[in-house]
Amino acid sequence: MTTQIFFALSDPHRQEILLRLARGGPQTTLNLLKGIGATRQGATRHLLILEEAGLVKSEKRGREVIREFNPETVALAQQWFTDLESAWDSRLDRLRKQYETK
Amino acid sequence: MTTQIFFALSDPHRQEILLRLARGGPQTTLNLLKGIGATRQGATRHLLILEEAGLVKSEKRGREVIREFNPETVALAQQWFTDLESAWDSRLDRLRKQYETK
DNA sequence: GAGATATGCAACATATCGGTTGCATATTAG
DNA sequence: CTAATATGCAACCGATATGTTGCATATCTC
């Protein structure tokens, strides 16, 4: 689950797109395309990957598709880091206790 | 920079390896190999990717290589999420102020 | 309806990924 | 020294990623 999120963020174009969506709010594909050195199809592909990872929501409005940043999924990724750190911390704790009881 | 970190975390094997390093402390390649359905070379490759991303440190000790979890790099990735969220939040703030001054 | 606009779909080329295999090297143990 | 152990290096394969191009479709504007 989180692997998909991390994969979506492992590309500079996708990072840039997501940041711009968070900053600039809901936008069309063509708008997001500007400033990124990519074709329309390239940008669309990246947006689909971001959407499949849950980082972006999309809504069809007339002939255009509006993409929107989805803040909920970010929490999932952050939780993974939190778990990793707590695994690390609890190990340090264990080592410390072991040392103290000697 | 963070793209490399996210890429390293976009594979279930590498996630598992990193978790086990954080939990179990410094270990050899062969030890990390156990429990993961992969060849020695497969595991080595994953470890190198984790190391290039800065998530793992390695130290050659005699004929074996000890891999160790590096907690510092995790902070970089977390910072990226923090920046993303602050971009999002500041946008919401702007919208709210714009609404209030009407 | 006609033209412009926004997008989707499909095929293709090139590169990289994940994984395996075979062989070489270095260190340790007897 | 010899055998076992831990690893590195290089080539290979199939699958996937990234990016492009060409064509089709849907919608809006006039």
Side-chain angles (χ1 to χ4, degrees):
Chain A
M1 192 52 233
T2 50
T3 55
Q4 217 175 348
I5 300 173
F6 290 136
F7 173 75
L9 297 175
S10 70
D11 178 274
H13 280 164
R14 290 196 288 269
Q15 284 195 358
E16 174 67 19
I17 289 174
L18 196 61
L19 274 171
R20 285 174 57 181
L21 274 174
R23 258 190 253 113
Q27 297 168 56
T28 65
T29 307
L30 286 184
N31 197 4
L32 286 167
L33 179 54
K34 294 171 197 162
I36 297 175
T39 338
R40 176 179 66 88
Q41 293 296 353
T44 301
R45 203 169 236 305
H46 287 311
L47 282 165
L48 285 178
I49 290 173
L50 286 168
E51 190 170 348
E52 278 166 19
L55 290 162
V56 162
K57 289 181 282 189
S58 76
E59 181 194 353
K60 188 155 190 174
R61 200 141 67 199
R63 76 180 143 181
E64 55 190 17
V65 177
I66 309 292
R67 320 274 177 165
E68 187 177 355
F69 175 62
N70 181 15
E72 291 175 28
T73 306
V74 173
L76 286 178
Q78 283 178 316
Q79 185 60 47
W80 193 87
F81 283 114
T82 304
D83 292 346
L84 182 67
E85 282 184 330
S86 79
W88 173 251
D89 290 339
S90 73
R91 178 171 177 275
L92 291 187
D93 272 1
R94 249 179 292 132
L95 286 180
R96 192 168 46 76
K97 283 181 186 168
Q98 194 180 356
Y99 175 80
E100 283 172 355
T101 55
K102 266 188 185 170
Chain B
M1 191 55 233
T2 51
T3 55
Q4 219 173 346
I5 301 174
F6 289 137
F7 173 74
L9 297 175
S10 70
D11 178 274
H13 280 164
R14 290 195 287 269
Q15 283 195 357
E16 174 67 19
I17 288 175
L18 196 62
L19 274 170
R20 284 175 55 183
L21 275 174
R23 259 191 251 112
Q27 297 168 56
T28 65
T29 309
L30 286 183
N31 196 4
L32 285 167
L33 180 54
K34 294 171 196 162
I36 296 176
T39 338
R40 176 180 65 88
Q41 293 296 355
T44 300
R45 202 170 235 308
H46 287 310
L47 282 166
L48 285 179
I49 290 173
L50 285 168
E51 191 171 347
E52 280 167 18
L55 290 162
V56 163
K57 288 182 285 191
S58 78
E59 180 194 354
K60 188 156 191 174
R61 199 143 67 199
R63 77 179 143 183
E64 53 190 17
V65 177
I66 310 293
R67 320 273 177 167
E68 186 178 356
F69 174 63
N70 180 15
E72 291 175 28
T73 307
V74 173
L76 285 178
Q78 283 177 317
Q79 185 60 47
W80 193 86
F81 282 114
T82 304
D83 291 347
L84 182 68
E85 282 183 330
S86 80
W88 173 251
D89 290 340
S90 72
R91 179 171 177 273
L92 290 187
D93 272 2
R94 250 179 290 133
L95 285 180
R96 193 169 44 77
K97 283 180 185 168
Q98 194 180 359
Y99 176 80
E100 283 172 353
T101 55
K102 264 187 186 172

